[in-house]
Amino acid sequence: MMELKLIWGNCLKVLPKIPDESIDLILTDPPYNISKHDKITRKGGKFGFAKDIKLNFGEWDFGKIKPEDYIPEFVRILKPNGVLVLFYDRLWLGVIGLWLENEFKFKVRHIGSWIKSNPAPQARKVKWQIGSEHFLIATKNVGSGHHFNYKLGQSPDYFITSVNYKHLHPTQKPLELFKWIVNYWSFKGDWVLDPFLGAGTTMKACLELERNCIGIEIDKNYIEIAKKLLNWGSSLGNVKFEFLTEHDIQEKIV
């Protein structure tokens, strides 16, 4: 039976309750919270190899979240050949990838792109339109396997869709894009996690592709939107729906 666990709460409080090495795929689009004060600090290296990479994401207002807050937890809960697919600001994805490889011994497989076939026009119509968003694909523990659905054959590292779809969340990605990612980087019966679930796109993709899913969302309004998107509690005989709050979880989940 497939399981969908929808959790209302702060992912920084829920992630520690997920057991070590229990998740096959993390697919998420966290808030970027980038500021002009963000810095990269590292010692010089020869022949293009940098040493001692340190991320300094600047001064943060109350309530903001940064990759240093959640990526160590991602590392802990991913299975030895688990996959992280992380959407983030294009200027920072390479830095995060180097951090994952140097600090946590991950292997960055791709920097993928979502190509918008009809990007929003610029106000003055004189600048280049922003027609792409980017995501990092990295796997845990090089040498322990490659969790990838190779039977699907080759695919380019980009996906093209229109932006003309119903937006239930300001940064909502198209369902077709997430289904493409989930299909290639997980298998039926796997556990998929999205700790920044938003309107529920990741969980909807998992439902349609027969993956188990844990979705965490801090905003109650989007929890209700996700429930409607998923037809929550419907009489699907092969799906177990479970709704929790961060305070309900007394033991490890999964």
Side-chain angles (χ1 to χ4, degrees), residues 73-86:
E73 281 294 299
F74 290 178
V75 174
R76 180 185 64 79
I77 64 180
L78 276 173
K79 292 182 179 179
N81 60 348
V83 182
L84 169 61
V85 180
L86 178 75

Side-chain angles (χ1 to χ4, degrees), residues 93-106:
L93 278 177
V95 177
I96 294 171
L98 288 171
W99 185 42
L100 284 167
E101 290 197 339
N102 284 273
E103 184 72 19
F104 301 111
K105 309 307 177 187
F106 270 55

Side-chain angles (χ1 to χ4, degrees), residues 10-220:
N10 184 336
C11 70
L12 298 184
K13 295 181 179 179
V14 177
L15 287 171
K17 299 178 181 180
I18 298 178
D20 295 352
E21 299 186 350
S22 59
I23 301 297
D24 298 282
L25 167 65
I26 298 173
L27 168 57
T28 194
D29 181 18
Y32 297 172
N33 293 330
I34 298 298
S35 92
K36 65 182 180 181
H37 302 295
D38 303 339
K39 297 178 181 178
I40 307 168
T41 304
R42 62 187 181 187
K43 295 180 182 178
K46 294 182 178 180
F47 310 112
F49 292 95
K51 299 179 180 179
D52 300 328
I53 295 171
K54 182 179 180 181
L55 281 77
N56 177 0
F57 287 86
E59 297 297 326
W60 294 83
D61 296 333
F62 177 77
K64 286 191 175 181
I65 191 169
K66 54 189 182 295
E68 290 172 333
D69 295 329
Y70 50 80
I71 282 182
E73 281 294 299
F74 290 178
V75 174
R76 180 185 64 79
I77 64 180
L78 276 173
K79 292 182 179 179
N81 60 348
V83 182
L84 169 61
V85 180
L86 178 75
F87 284 78
Y88 210 73
D89 181 86
R90 68 185 72 195
L91 296 178
W92 286 93
L93 278 177
V95 177
I96 294 171
L98 288 171
W99 185 42
L100 284 167
E101 290 197 339
N102 284 273
E103 184 72 19
F104 301 111
K105 309 307 177 187
F106 270 55
K107 171 66 176 177
V108 175
R109 301 289 181 178
H110 298 280
I111 299 293
S113 301
W114 168 35
I115 307 299
K116 305 172 186 180
S117 60
N118 55 337
Q122 294 293 316
R124 295 178 180 268
K125 298 184 179 180
V126 295
K127 296 168 61 180
W128 283 15
Q129 297 166 280
I130 299 174
S132 62
E133 294 187 37
H134 307 280
F135 53 93
L136 174 147
I137 303 174
T139 52
K140 183 178 177 180
N141 292 356
V142 179
S144 64
H146 193 176
H147 199 73
F148 174 74
N149 196 350
Y150 69 92
K151 292 183 179 180
L152 294 177
Q154 295 188 89
S155 173
D157 59 1
Y158 59 86
F159 194 87
I160 304 173
T161 70
S162 165
V163 297
N164 292 337
Y165 55 91
K166 186 176 181 180
H167 284 72
L168 304 174
H169 186 282
T171 62
Q172 182 179 345
K173 303 300 184 288
L175 178 61
E176 294 86 355
L177 170 66
F178 273 26
K179 288 177 68 174
W180 172 64
I181 294 170
V182 169
N183 213 21
Y184 267 94
W185 294 96
S186 68
F187 298 89
K188 288 184 179 180
D190 277 358
W191 277 98
V192 179
L193 167 69
D194 187 348
F196 303 96
L197 185 67
T201 304
T202 299
M203 191 169 282
K204 179 69 171 177
C206 289
L207 176 62
E208 295 190 8
L209 295 173
E210 299 181 43
R211 273 70 166 169
N212 302 299
C213 185
I214 300 171
I216 308 168
E217 174 54 42
I218 197 169
D219 190 318
K220 186 62 161 61

